[in-house]
Structure formats: C-alpha cells, structure tokens
Amino acid sequence: MMWLSSFCLEGIAGETMPIEFELASALKRLDAQTVPIAAICAATVAIARLGLLRGRQHTSNGLKYLQLHVPEYHEAQNYVEAPAVRDRGLITASGIADIEFARELFEELGVLSPNDRAVWVDIFRNAQLPDETRASPGFPSSFPASLVRFASSRSRTPAALFCNDSGGSAPSR
C-alpha cells in the first residue's frame, strides 16, 4: 500500500512548541524504516529536536537559527550552507528554498532524468519555459507520466514535514 504522510508545523509554533508524541513516534519509525523524510523551514527544528540530523549533512534557515531553537543541537560540523541538502534519505531546506527542496525530493525519488530536473528548476526559478534543445523529448508533458510510473513502482513514499507561514495547510494524505 502506498501512502504519503505530511505534517504541518506553523512557522513560529514549529519553532517553539513541543513536538507531539504521535509526530515524534511516526518520524522516528519512518526514519528507522528508511522511508525518506523531507523537512523545510521550521520543520528542520522538529527533526533536530528528535535527533534525526545526527551524523547527517543538513541545512536549515541558518546554523544560528538551529542553535537558537534547539539548545541540544550539536551537529554544527554537519551543517551545510546551501538552500537544500540531501543525505541518506533525509532532505532539509531553508524556508526560502522551495524549488531546491522539490528538486532534492525528485532526485531522492528518482522522478525525472537529471537533465529534466535541472530544466524543471530553471523553469520555476526563472519563470520561463526552457529552450527546446535542453529538455528531453516530451518534457514537460512527460512529467505527470513520470510521476505515475514512479508511484506505481513504489510501495512507500516519503514523509514530508512542512513549515507553512501563510496560515494554509500542508497537503493531506
């Protein structure tokens, strides 16, 4: 059975409130089962509090941001100044790196070819369709089909942890 778990942490609440037991248990269980986990913005605080960053390269809204919100954080040697970082099934990103975050998700899940992922990033970063010579034949119309092929080939999908400062909600399962 395929499923997608997504949890929503509202901006400041995600930085200051305790992590609910159910969320903590689910994330630890998913990590132990090597289900990819993705966290962006304040969600990186939650996974830092749970110890999921331990021994993995990661990023967030800044090293000082993690140190401020997670006093028990001692992974500065693994912190990478980058918009998004992927290490052994864990994807982390700054709150302003939504496109890079998605690119890392695509790569982790094997969605699109490396070239098409780069073209996809260019499309959304620059708000322009690509030069036809850069994309693979059928791109972007092949994009939905590649997702369908991916979904039908996997028994598990990643858990995603989102920060949502707009007051909206994260995707539901």
Side-chain angles (χ1 to χ4, degrees), residues 8-173:
C8 179
L9 296 175
E10 297 294 330
I12 294 172
E15 297 169 347
T16 59
M17 295 189 62
I19 302 167
E20 293 183 24
F21 175 78
E22 292 83 4
L23 175 59
S25 294
L27 288 170
K28 287 178 181 179
R29 185 177 61 255
L30 291 169
D31 188 51
Q33 295 171 349
T34 65
V35 174
I37 296 173
I40 186 170
C41 197
T44 60
V45 170
I47 63 171
R49 287 183 182 153
L50 295 174
L52 299 182
L53 299 179
R54 204 166 293 123
R56 291 171 161 156
Q57 290 191 334
H58 58 276
T59 195
S60 181
N61 294 334
L63 177 57
K64 290 183 181 184
Y65 171 84
L66 279 179
Q67 292 170 329
L68 173 69
H69 294 291
V70 188
E72 64 277 12
Y73 171 81
H74 300 292
E75 290 293 315
Q77 73 278 8
N78 291 317
Y79 188 86
V80 179
E81 286 290 341
V85 173
R86 184 168 53 94
D87 186 358
R88 291 175 285 139
L90 180 67
I91 300 166
T92 52
S94 162
I96 59 172
D98 53 342
I99 293 167
E100 293 81 2
F101 182 66
R103 180 198 61 221
E104 294 299 328
L105 282 165
F106 291 166
E107 189 163 334
E108 180 72 24
L109 301 175
V111 175
L112 301 177
S113 70
N115 182 65
D116 284 350
R117 281 193 298 267
V119 171
W120 182 90
V121 167
D122 284 347
I123 290 170
F124 287 93
R125 182 56 61 216
N126 301 315
Q128 285 186 288
L129 290 175
D131 175 337
E132 290 180 20
T133 62
R134 289 195 51 219
S136 298
F139 182 85
S141 63
S142 65
F143 181 70
S146 68
L147 286 176
V148 170
R149 280 192 306 275
F150 165 75
S152 64
S153 71
R154 304 279 290 209
S155 61
R156 296 179 295 178
T157 57
L161 198 57
F162 299 92
C163 163
N164 186 338
D165 292 326
S166 67
S169 61
S172 60
R173 51 186 230 189

